[in-house]
Amino acid sequence: MSDTETLARQDSAWYARLERRFELRARGTTPRTEVLAGFTTFLTMAYIVLVNPAILGTAGMPVAAVAAATCFAAAFASILMGFASNTPLALAPGMGLNAYFSFTVVQQMGVPWQVALGCVFISGVAFLVLTLTGIRQLIVHSIPQYLFAAVAGGIGLFIGFIGLRDSGIVVANPATFVALGDLRQPAPALALFGLVLIGGLSAWNVRGAMLIGIVATTALGWVFGLVSFNPEPYSLEAMTGTLFQLDLGGVFGSEGQHGLGLLEVLFVFLFVDLFDNIGTLVAVTKRAGLIGSDGKIPRLNRILVTDAVATVVGSMAGTSTVTSYVESASGVQVGGRTGLTAIVTGLLFFAMMFVAPYAQLIPLAATAPALIIVGGMMCLPLTEVEWEDPLCAIPAFLTVAMIPFTFSIANGLAFGITAHAVLKIVRGTFGKSDLFLLVLASLFVARFIWMGAA
């Protein structure tokens, strides 16, 4: 047998193993497409390697240690998600919850960061209990189908808004809240170049348009000196600064006197991660065409268990709540349909553990165009909403609007579900099958009364 024939058989056996494990043919994808999708998702998420340590560092946590923990948590969670659920969902420490962890829990409430990590650990255990008892699945299944479409559209606007903000195309304005930025500035101009490039390649159906656009825009930024690179001393040994530093005794009161305040912290970690995760899960799987004809998400239990385990492991490594990332939609957009996409993303995060400061090489202005285009594509499910029926249109609109306007997927779901329950009661169509939905709506109302807009 010639060397060529031997290699051909090895390649065939390798492909057969991938096919059996990830169902590539059934989902209309190939290993090349999945790898491309994994790279694309990673590039749109890479900013977390710099942003998360910067935010948690303000809470007194060692920045280098958090950088290593961030990479490890994202790598572990994404790889586990790929193998356990065969879903193209990548995970990492969540934005928003890391800010709440640092600015509210540690700095305002005076909770030591070690105790705050203990709260993250307990919330992860609570997620796992809620999943194993079937409560999280009940929540997902109780959400009306048209709200799934509204969530997907709302997250699309959310992603697009993040891209516009990160690029400087849209900026804060004290009079109107937001306004058009100065497009003559380097970052907006670079982002507009990327937007045209990715848009043009996508219009010509070029595979890998997102990845090509991100890399080309980054290269252009370097050529014109628009990317600064100032790496700080870094070593994997730094991770010991946060590894297993969580303080469970402080959470339960044996150390410290934070009282009922920690119950509020636990509730926020539970509430926001629960509904952010559900919203992201619905939006990404819907975009990938993975939701069944019965409206159910395949392997839902495995997905939710993975998310809970990721939060527990992340807290032990030394980072805030780990959750599914809406940027996973960028990988789905280029064809990612299986867990192989998530595994590739996880492996790249694992590699980043050794060179975390080099995430600075990818400017936000280079990834922003991909987020803007993905956001627009994710609005397609809004056509599934019966906009002529006020019972559907009003909750759907509130969901779509509140996600980007409040910068929270959880808030959008809260408004949509509550509006749906209230309108069904007013209309007189509320039945026994809607009781769980009423419980959810009541919890949302109680949460807003008790905690305001936290």
Side-chain angles (χ1 to χ4, degrees):
M1 184 182 296
S2 67
D3 291 342
T4 301
E5 291 175 329
T6 300
L7 289 174
R9 288 195 174 186
Q10 289 176 345
D11 288 344
S12 178
W14 171 77
Y15 181 86
R17 285 194 294 270
L18 288 179
E19 171 60 36
R20 287 194 300 270
R21 184 66 184 79
F22 298 105
E23 304 170 351
L24 300 174
R25 190 176 294 108
R27 298 195 184 186
T29 185
T30 65
R32 177 181 176 279
T33 298
E34 295 296 300
V35 171
L36 186 64
F39 266 91
T40 303
T41 298
F42 169 76
L43 289 177
T44 57
M45 289 176 61
Y47 68 89
I48 195 62
V49 179
L50 296 176
V51 175
N52 196 50
I55 291 176
L56 297 186
T58 64
M61 298 183 69
V63 174
V66 176
T70 299
C71 294
F72 172 78
F76 170 83
S78 298
I79 293 172
L80 180 62
M81 180 65 78
F83 277 115
S85 70
N86 196 24
T87 304
L89 271 173
L91 298 88
M95 290 296 294
L97 282 172
N98 55 5
Y100 177 76
F101 178 105
S102 182
F103 303 132
T104 301
V105 179
V106 177
Q107 297 181 52
Q108 291 184 21
M109 297 176 61
V111 177
W113 61 263
Q114 294 90 342
V115 176
L117 283 179
C119 289
V120 174
F121 177 88
I122 294 171
S123 70
V125 173
F127 295 151
L128 189 57
V129 172
L130 290 175
T131 301
L132 295 178
T133 56
I135 295 177
R136 289 180 80 181
Q137 295 88 324
L138 280 175
I139 293 173
V140 175
H141 294 150
S142 68
I143 298 175
Q145 288 299 309
Y146 78 90
L147 280 185
F148 280 3
V151 167
I155 291 180
L157 292 180
F158 185 34
I159 292 176
F161 182 68
I162 290 173
L164 292 169
R165 183 204 60 175
D166 288 348
S167 64
I169 296 175
V170 170
V171 297
N173 184 288
T176 60
F177 291 103
V178 292
L180 182 66
D182 185 353
L183 303 184
R184 298 169 296 180
Q185 294 298 313
L190 183 63
L192 288 174
F193 165 80
L195 193 61
V196 171
L197 178 60
I198 295 176
L201 292 174
S202 298
W204 280 99
N205 296 318
V206 175
R207 299 300 295 267
M210 297 284 183
L211 184 58
I212 294 171
I214 292 172
V215 172
T217 304
T218 298
L220 184 66
W222 272 93
V223 169
F224 287 96
L226 303 180
V227 180
S228 60
F229 180 53
N230 302 300
E232 298 180 359
Y234 173 80
S235 168
L236 275 182
E237 294 179 1
M239 190 172 173
T240 58
T242 57
L243 187 65
F244 300 121
Q245 296 298 311
L246 66 166
D247 180 4
L248 296 177
V251 178
F252 293 110
S254 60
E255 302 172 18
Q257 301 295 326
H258 304 290
L260 293 176
L262 290 184
L263 290 179
E264 177 180 320
V265 172
L266 288 169
F267 183 78
V268 171
F269 283 147
L270 263 170
F271 181 93
V272 177
D273 186 42
L274 174 61
F275 289 97
D276 270 12
N277 180 264
I278 289 174
T280 301
L281 171 62
V282 168
V284 174
T285 53
K286 192 172 186 65
R287 181 61 189 161
L290 300 179
I291 294 183
S293 57
D294 57 357
K296 295 183 178 180
I297 301 172
R299 299 183 176 92
L300 176 61
N301 196 55
R302 295 185 181 185
I303 294 173
L304 297 179
V305 167
T306 299
D307 175 67
V309 171
T311 291
V312 171
V313 172
S315 68
M316 291 189 290
T319 186
S320 53
T321 306
V322 177
T323 188
S324 302
Y325 257 60
V326 292
E327 284 84 355
S328 302
S330 62
V332 170
Q333 185 61 37
V334 300
R337 294 294 181 271
T338 75
L340 191 56
T341 293
I343 291 170
V344 171
T345 300
L347 290 174
L348 290 171
F349 270 114
F350 179 76
M352 184 59 69
M353 284 183 65
F354 300 90
V355 290
Y358 286 86
Q360 297 176 50
L361 291 171
I362 308 168
L364 289 177
T367 57
L371 295 181
I372 294 169
I373 289 177
V374 169
M377 298 294 186
M378 289 185 68
C379 290
L380 177 62
L382 292 178
T383 58
E384 300 174 17
V385 178
E386 296 181 23
W387 294 104
E388 300 86 359
D389 183 359
L391 183 61
C392 295
I394 294 173
F397 172 75
L398 287 173
T399 301
V400 171
M402 295 303 288
I403 289 177
F405 289 165
T406 66
F407 233 67
S408 168
I409 300 170
N411 285 342
L413 265 172
F415 270 79
I417 290 174
T418 303
H420 177 84
V422 170
L423 289 177
K424 291 205 75 171
I425 292 173
V426 172
R427 194 170 176 176
T429 58
F430 195 88
K432 291 183 179 180
S433 60
D434 299 312
L435 287 177
F436 193 77
L437 194 67
L438 180 60
V439 172
L440 280 180
S442 301
L443 289 174
F444 289 136
V445 173
R447 181 250 185 181
F448 286 124
I449 293 174
W450 180 34
M451 300 170 54

